[in-house]
Amino acid sequence: MKNICVLVSGGGTNLQALIDAQDRGEIKGGRISCVISSNPEAYALERAKKAGIAGVVIPRKEYQSSKAYSEAILAELDRQKADLVVLAGFMTILDECVTKAYDYKIINVHPALIPSFCGEGFYGLKVHEKALEYGVKVSGATIHFVNEKADAGAIILQGTVDVANDDTPQTLQRKIMENVEWKLLPKAVSLFCENRISIKDGKAYVDL
Ligand code: GAR
């Protein structure tokens, strides 16, 4: 069984999707052993508690630099003996001390079709605001490995939704979460835990 650590910062609906999938027996070969939050107020911590999963708070505000913060995260991941790290609405970019130590072992969910609307500064609702501002007709979400560059690691799964004329950032966000994120994140986590993702020339290939 692989040890899964989930990193969160906010509401935690993606964490909930993982917990629900685990309860349905859909995360094969792994179990969520802890939830680490950068924000002491994150509702995701309540979700973890309700599911009987250990919650650890490492407040981003208490660290002066991204490097110092990343070192604290790294120490906790090592302590938890994490086999897989899932960034589920984790709003802090991790320094390469973490990405190197957990190479191809960190999975992120990004609420757009990478390489569009991604990179530093593109997170949460902002991503959907930018997509609507541009006028795209489809958007979606991407599940990818995390490397030293923001949102630039190998893509594992992507899914799309149509953008309606009257979509707002909020309705588009909800549509992408419901139709793509909450389905594909648990699926990618299970594929990883079942060793069904391979890497060749920096690209991820899924054995579906
Ligand atoms: C999700 O839409 C996730 O894709 C996005 O933040 C939201 C978190 O929601 N993540 C990013 O923008 C990371 N760059 P949640 O806390 O309810 O899972």
Side-chain angles (χ1 to χ4, degrees):
M1 272 283 172
K2 287 190 168 56
N3 241 350
I4 306 167
C5 288
V6 184
L7 273 56
V8 297
S9 300
T13 63
N14 278 290
L15 168 67
Q16 192 65 54
L18 289 168
I19 293 169
D20 294 346
Q22 174 164 279
D23 289 349
R24 292 193 301 266
E26 289 170 12
I27 309 279
K28 300 188 187 88
R31 67 175 184 98
I32 306 167
S33 55
C34 88
V35 168
I36 302 175
S37 177
S38 62
N39 166 14
E41 309 295 325
Y43 185 68
L45 288 165
E46 283 299 312
R47 298 182 190 270
K49 198 170 161 190
K50 276 189 198 145
I53 299 166
V56 178
V57 181
I58 307 182
R60 177 64 185 90
K61 282 188 183 150
E62 286 181 11
Y63 295 81
Q64 300 229 319
S65 66
S66 161
K67 187 161 185 291
Y69 186 68
S70 299
E71 279 164 3
I73 293 282
L74 179 60
E76 185 61 29
L77 292 175
D78 288 348
R79 204 175 71 79
Q80 297 283 349
K81 298 189 170 42
D83 297 306
L84 171 64
V85 181
V86 180
L87 310 187
F90 186 65
M91 299 306 183
T92 295
I93 294 177
L94 291 169
D95 189 87
E96 64 177 25
C97 70
V98 181
T99 56
K100 282 208 171 116
Y102 286 84
D103 199 22
Y104 290 108
K105 288 181 180 165
I106 309 176
I107 289 177
N108 180 46
V109 52
H110 182 74
L113 295 170
I114 290 176
S116 291
F117 310 111
C118 64
E120 246 171 282
F122 285 89
Y123 58 87
L125 265 187
K126 284 188 191 183
V127 177
H128 308 295
E129 279 165 19
K130 293 284 176 200
L132 290 176
E133 218 173 277
Y134 198 95
V136 293
K137 302 303 175 221
V138 289
S139 192
T142 304
I143 317 298
H144 65 95
F145 283 111
V146 174
N147 64 12
E148 67 289 350
K149 279 201 199 150
D151 300 327
I155 292 172
I156 304 167
L157 297 171
Q158 288 185 304
T160 61
V161 302
D162 289 336
V163 178
N165 288 340
D166 60 355
D167 262 327
T168 64
Q170 287 79 5
T171 61
L172 184 57
Q173 178 183 54
R174 180 78 194 180
K175 194 154 61 172
I176 291 172
M177 282 175 152
E178 270 178 13
N179 293 289
V180 188
E181 297 184 41
W182 300 342
K183 291 180 181 159
L184 293 194
L185 183 62
K187 187 172 175 183
V189 166
S190 189
L191 287 167
F192 179 94
C193 292
E194 296 170 85
N195 299 315
R196 284 166 62 193
I197 306 175
S198 52
I199 305 295
K200 198 172 167 242
D201 300 329
K203 291 199 205 62
Y205 295 89
V206 171
D207 167 23
L208 284 170

